[in-house]
Amino acid sequence: MPLDIVPSVCPHDCPSACALEVERVDGGRIGRVRGAAAQDYTLGVVCAKVARYTERQHHPARLSRPLRRVGEKGVGLDGFKPISWDTALDEVAERLTCAAQRHGSETVWPYYYAGTMGLVQRDGINRLRHAMRYSREDLTICNALSDAGWLAGVGAKRGVDGREMAKSDLIVVWGGNPVSTQVNVMTHVAAARKERGARLVVVDPYRTATAEQADLHLAPLPGTDGALACAVMHVLFKEGYADRDYMARYTDDPRGLETHLATRGPVWAAPITGLSEDEIVGFARLYGCTRRSYIRVGYGFSRSRNGAAQLFAVTCLPAVTGAWAHEGGGALYSNHDLVAIDRTLIEGLDLLDPTTRILDQSRIGPVLTGDPRDLGDGPPVSALFVQNTNPMVVAPASRLVHRGFARSDLFVCVHEQFMTETAAMADIVLPATTFLEHDDIYTAGAHTYLQIGRAVLPPHAECRSNHEVISGLAERLGARHPGFMMSAVELIDRTLRASGLPAVENFPAEGWLDCRPPFVTDHFLDGFAHADKKFHFRADWPAIGPGHAGLPSFPDHVAVIDDGDPERPFRLVAAPSRSFLNTSFNNTPSSLAREGRPTALVHPEALAGLRLGDGDRVRIGNRRGSLVVHARAFPGMQKRVVIVEGLWPNHAFEEGIGINLLTSADPGLPRGGAVFHDTSVWLRPA
Ligand code: SF4
């Protein structure tokens, strides 16, 4: 069997965007997938789920032909009959046209997210949207809150190169679990520990696999990280760890911050966070006495009503100690905006009508069920075209989402790789290529490389890429834009040229281009990204979002969380699992085998209080509903905390609806964002 090794890029919704080496067998199948050893962020390492990509790529349940629903919604493949591509695209175009004629173009909502992170295949849907003046989509489900928090202090969505972790003496992983979800971080942490004796601190409400490897684990109650950060800064000022020269030069109001924090010490923070004063002071001293301290900021603690304020508070730490100025010091949240890419061609931004309405993707449940807070005076959404996401499982307030998709007057087309729960609710399902079967270009959150991934396999069966489907629909709908006439590679090439970057023919042969800025820029020594070039301790929340009224300008604990009551004493965190990535991989045999079954981690004392034991069924609920999972006694967290890992398929739950039944579609402050980890619940024996 001829076997060759071909380069690629992991497209999944993960900051690492690993450079890959893929075993190709007979030109049509893949074998093992490895990390590219020569790319010095990936360094030859990928997560187990992608190493076994053959399970996903060649899964027997891959969709292979366009389908029209002939049975009930939600039953899956048995409810569909195959049709030709021309018939399918003609029908979708006709239904979208009819919907727009009846209600106006904004009744159509092209709905997408990050099932692939490639710019062409992910974002091309916006070109069709803008050309047809369909409703716009506010992308709030992942990073609206974290972006707001980071931008408040730093001013731009970039941070210190992740490779510098290897040169740190103290790495703080705050609100992330890279052992499970971003394994490459641990490569660089391991190098720092081995070569420099660096210490690892993890801040996370439960003892994750990453926390197990840490020298110190702090487990605050969900939604209280801002209080912890304030108390740490209080100690930094009080005990002489604050770098006043650095702050005078690079920050906006250090005196104001110090005065503000005077009443926010460990005594104040301990009862809010549930941590001891000693834990807080100990961490503050460790952080304060280490110049090369690097905070790897995760998303977890931003998924809360106060998430932006929490993340902002954490970004202030290196500005107080001046760690930003040192090699191996500072912080990184995301580098997705490091490279200025001209997205006009890919997204059709030259056609964008700024008067078209914007609907919040996290509120798809309220939107589809006609909530006037979302629709205002506008038309109902009567047609959905979905790519790259599975809102029937991943969106909050699942009950509303399910009710919305069940509407008989809603036309739905889903372009997917598998018969997901969302596809099963569609009228037309179109089979989609994987990243191995199409061309794309990728930025990364965790590193500084821009990468091109080329198709290395022919499309599975009749699968078509997102770009091909968008272009096919554009032709039928009469949408005009040069981007619809180009191949994916032409789009990449023209976009690179428009961005002042090497065109495809001049792009490095290995497929990655390091866009790391010089040290002084990387570390903001030539200024932060605000007009005054300062790091802002005083956040300008009104400039970031309309919901700023409840947010104080200085970092603080913002007590707007769903903190429960005697009826709902537990705080639920719906955390990611190691073997799934959102709902990708939740149908591959090895991922399912490793994850077992939907499980609630419950503190042993809480479990005993319910007269339950390890492995018993427990019902978790709040006013949005309740569901049954198996309990596991887990002491690595506070007694009020309950963890359910992984976006399991709905059918994995006894009553056919998953964990987002319990999460809220309330928007976080100040400009929206899903609050997946801000949920109070009750527990009862099932
Ligand atoms: S670690 Fe992330 S980017 Fe790397 S292979 Fe796994 S999912 Fe893909």
Side-chain angles (χ1 to χ4, degrees):
M1 262 190 321
L3 182 143
D4 54 352
I5 307 292
V6 288
S8 189
V9 181
C10 179
H12 286 286
D13 188 6
C14 164
S16 285
C18 288
L20 304 179
E21 292 170 356
V22 181
E23 288 181 1
R24 183 169 57 182
V25 186
D26 266 348
R29 294 184 66 81
I30 62 163
R32 188 108 188 130
V33 176
R34 297 184 178 80
Q39 204 255 44
D40 61 3
Y41 186 79
T42 303
L43 284 174
V45 177
V46 292
C47 61
K49 52 190 177 286
V50 169
R52 297 186 302 257
Y53 210 80
T54 183
E55 286 185 25
R56 188 164 194 279
Q57 174 66 28
H58 303 299
H59 196 295
R62 275 283 300 274
L63 293 173
S64 55
R65 300 178 64 183
L67 302 167
R68 177 193 286 132
R69 189 167 52 77
V70 293
E72 292 295 305
K73 288 190 178 191
V75 297
L77 266 181
D78 290 345
F80 290 88
K81 284 262 186 297
I83 52 175
S84 73
W85 267 104
D86 275 342
T87 304
L89 292 176
D90 287 348
E91 188 164 328
V92 175
E94 187 188 331
R95 296 293 295 268
L96 299 187
T97 302
C98 286
Q101 283 170 346
R102 178 149 183 234
H103 296 288
S105 62
E106 289 174 332
T107 196
V108 179
W109 196 16
Y111 189 89
Y112 78 115
Y113 201 52
T116 175
M117 293 289 279
L119 305 187
V120 171
Q121 309 293 351
R122 184 188 64 190
D123 300 334
I125 192 172
N126 288 329
R127 193 175 342 112
L128 185 67
R129 180 196 316 280
H130 300 324
M132 299 304 297
R133 221 182 152 274
Y134 293 151
S135 279
R136 289 186 281 163
E137 180 179 353
D138 195 3
L139 302 178
T140 57
I141 208 159
C142 178
N143 55 340
L145 283 155
S146 44
D147 278 7
W150 183 266
L151 294 173
V154 176
K157 194 170 163 181
R158 62 179 176 85
V160 173
D161 190 329
R163 290 167 291 191
E164 279 198 29
M165 276 185 281
K167 297 181 176 164
S168 299
D169 294 321
L170 173 65
I171 298 155
V172 182
V173 173
W174 198 312
N177 179 14
V179 165
S180 288
T181 63
Q182 206 196 134
V183 65
N184 312 80
V185 167
M186 302 312 290
T187 304
H188 300 281
V189 169
R193 291 177 118 176
K194 186 169 169 208
E195 289 160 25
R196 310 180 59 83
R199 292 210 258 169
L200 173 66
V201 175
V202 170
V203 183
D204 203 292
Y206 73 114
R207 197 175 63 232
T208 61
T210 310
E212 278 177 9
Q213 294 194 16
D215 300 285
L216 175 65
H217 172 212
L218 297 172
L221 280 169
T224 68
D225 302 67
L228 172 60
C230 287
V232 168
M233 287 189 280
H234 171 101
V235 175
L236 296 175
F237 277 109
K238 186 175 167 196
E239 299 195 3
Y241 296 113
D243 185 336
R244 295 177 190 282
D245 290 343
Y246 176 88
M247 285 190 288
R249 186 164 173 197
Y250 290 106
T251 70
D252 63 339
D253 189 2
R255 281 177 193 275
L257 177 68
E258 185 172 5
T259 303
H260 165 76
L261 292 172
T263 54
R264 287 161 178 78
V267 176
W268 166 81
I272 298 172
T273 60
L275 300 171
S276 71
E277 292 171 41
D278 284 350
E279 282 179 289
I280 297 169
V281 173
F283 171 48
R285 288 176 180 159
L286 177 62
Y287 186 79
C289 73
T290 315
R291 296 293 92 172
R292 289 177 178 230
S293 57
Y294 188 104
I295 305 181
R296 187 65 182 92
V297 179
Y299 292 82
F301 69 113
S302 75
R303 292 186 172 144
S304 182
R305 288 165 180 76
N306 63 0
Q310 300 218 100
L311 199 135
F312 165 60
V314 171
T315 64
C316 294
L317 265 66
V320 171
T321 63
W324 288 110
H326 302 278
E327 187 179 36
L332 172 64
Y333 149 61
S334 172
N335 267 329
H336 270 303
D337 287 351
L338 174 66
V339 193
I341 295 193
D342 184 333
R343 295 163 187 256
T344 307
L345 193 57
I346 290 176
E347 298 197 45
L349 298 177
D350 45 344
L351 300 179
L352 191 157
D353 175 353
T355 66
T356 50
R357 74 171 173 190
I358 304 177
L359 299 172
D360 181 342
Q361 73 169 153
S362 301
R363 291 182 55 77
I364 184 171
V367 167
L368 293 185
T369 50
D371 193 321
R373 285 173 294 182
D374 299 280
L375 299 178
D377 296 331
V381 169
S382 65
L384 278 173
F385 173 68
V386 181
Q387 286 185 323
N388 297 333
T389 188
N390 183 13
M392 283 284 289
V393 178
V394 305
S398 289
R399 182 89 75 203
L400 291 178
V401 181
H402 290 204
R403 198 180 298 157
F405 270 93
R407 274 172 42 202
S408 59
D409 63 339
L410 177 71
F411 171 75
V412 180
C413 173
V414 174
H415 184 200
E416 250 300 348
Q417 295 161 349
F418 292 95
M419 183 55 74
T420 62
E421 291 87 337
T422 306
M425 300 299 281
D427 299 280
I428 300 286
V429 175
L430 307 173
T433 48
T434 69
F435 75 105
L436 296 167
E437 301 160 356
H438 59 232
D439 302 308
D440 218 330
I441 184 164
Y442 303 87
T443 59
H447 57 70
T448 55
Y449 287 102
L450 183 66
Q451 301 178 95
I452 294 178
R454 301 296 294 263
V456 297
L457 295 179
H460 166 70
E462 295 184 21
C463 292
R464 292 188 186 175
S465 72
N466 289 5
H467 173 59
E468 290 172 301
V469 169
I470 291 294
S471 299
L473 281 176
E475 186 186 347
R476 286 164 173 81
L477 291 163
R480 301 270 176 269
H481 191 272
F484 296 126
M485 312 304 288
M486 297 178 188
S487 69
V489 172
E490 286 172 317
L491 275 172
I492 295 168
D493 188 67
R494 292 278 297 272
T495 296
L496 287 169
R497 290 174 195 270
S499 310
L501 293 160
V504 168
E505 65 181 14
N506 300 320
F507 208 79
E510 58 271 24
W512 57 75
L513 176 75
D514 194 352
C515 302
R516 181 183 188 175
F519 183 91
V520 291
T521 303
D522 202 28
H523 285 257
F524 302 101
L525 294 174
D526 52 4
F528 286 87
H530 295 292
D532 61 3
K533 301 263 184 194
K534 307 277 188 173
F535 181 93
H536 284 187
F537 290 134
R538 279 187 288 114
D540 184 5
W541 296 119
I544 294 175
H548 54 81
L551 293 176
S553 54
F554 282 118
D556 213 335
H557 172 61
V558 182
V560 294
I561 55 177
D562 177 18
D563 203 14
D565 52 38
E567 297 292 310
R568 297 172 298 124
F570 294 95
R571 298 274 294 145
L572 170 69
V573 175
S577 66
R578 184 181 301 197
S579 309
F580 306 155
L581 203 173
N582 301 323
T583 57
S584 299
F585 303 95
N586 76 1
N587 63 347
T588 53
S590 60
S591 290
L592 288 166
R594 188 189 182 282
E595 296 301 326
R597 62 189 179 188
T599 300
L601 307 182
V602 183
H603 194 279
E605 289 184 31
L607 209 51
L610 295 164
R611 300 187 186 285
L612 291 174
D614 210 32
D616 284 347
R617 291 162 64 250
V618 61
R619 184 169 284 281
I620 309 178
N622 57 23
R623 66 182 169 80
R624 283 176 284 278
S626 71
L627 49 80
V628 175
V629 293
H630 287 82
R632 197 169 109 215
F634 187 82
M637 57 197 186
Q638 297 189 40
K639 291 174 206 163
R640 284 186 62 201
V641 178
V642 178
I643 308 289
V644 177
E645 289 186 341
L647 282 177
W648 287 86
N650 286 327
H651 65 73
F653 293 82
E654 291 183 11
E655 289 142 328
I657 188 162
I659 195 66
N660 279 316
L661 170 67
L662 304 175
T663 59
S664 167
D666 285 356
L669 302 177
R671 63 156 308 266
V675 297
F676 290 116
H677 305 331
D678 188 4
T679 309
S680 284
V681 292
W682 47 255
L683 302 186
R684 292 176 196 152

